[in-house]
Amino acid sequence: MSRQTSPVIPGFGLTLGYTLVYLSLLVLIPLGALFLKTTELTWEQFVAIISAPRVLAALKLSFGTAFVAALLNGVIGTVLAWVLVRYTFPGRKVIEAMIDLPFALPTAVAGIALTALYAPNGPVGQFATALGFKIAYSPLGITLALTFVTLPFVVRTLQPVLADIPREVEEAAACLGARPLQVARHVLLPALLPAWLTGFALAFARGVGEYGSVIFIAGNMPMKTEILPLLIMVKLDQYDYAGATAIGVLMLVVSFILLLLINLLQRRIAHP
């Protein structure tokens, strides 16, 4: 006599329905409302808003600094993940906790701390000023803040992948005469690259929309250090809701295109 075992989670129909409702309430409906609000503008008005010099400067700054920060974390995060996975040393647990600190720390607190540290009269910023450049109130400061808040994404994405790569594979390659760079290129890189791209995409997406940690250290000078989220807040303070949603749609479309390209690259690498 056959007996059907009931699954722990309910069937496909119920779980799919719950997923679609949850996704619609949190993502699809708000994004749909964003696009719907922009229909109050004509196409000419929409193009005029998103092509304004101030908006284009903020767009270049937001996406440029987010890209550079994600790239920096791609290098730094890979090294940190390697050290934490491959080595055991005193203070390892402390470093693990410090990496997760940006997740727990309010971003505004991080912004204030970074500004106090790297301002022209700060403990570190004063040395930069003496050398003829400044960190806070510049794109460099914005990149630094984004690097801080997006570091965990790369590290936590790479750690389980590194842990799953047996050391015997590296030792076998070395026994066959492969040099360390050859082992890294031909053994480690193919396994790590899809996860690295995932961490990079997560860090980039977080950096584009970051507000709290950047608002203090940026200086918020139009055409110089003004980010797109701040420009949206300026539009909202002026009760220009259609203009704010137009900039939001611009950010959404550009972010979607870039993330789509990254995902396509990741899929191409994973399944050549």
Side-chain angles (χ1 to χ4, degrees), residues 211 229-241 244:
Y211 180 81
L230 175 63
L231 194 53
I232 292 175
M233 291 299 298
V234 171
K235 293 285 186 182
L236 293 175
D237 289 339
Q238 297 172 349
Y239 300 101
D240 184 8
Y241 300 119

Side-chain angles (χ1 to χ4, degrees), residues 152-184:
F153 291 98
V154 178
V155 177
R156 295 312 184 199
T157 304
L158 288 177
Q159 273 186 298
V161 180
L162 279 171
D164 287 340
I165 300 178
R167 295 192 181 187
E168 291 78 7
V169 176
E170 303 170 42
E171 294 172 356
C175 291
L176 293 174
R179 298 179 179 178
L181 288 179
Q182 291 176 320
V183 174

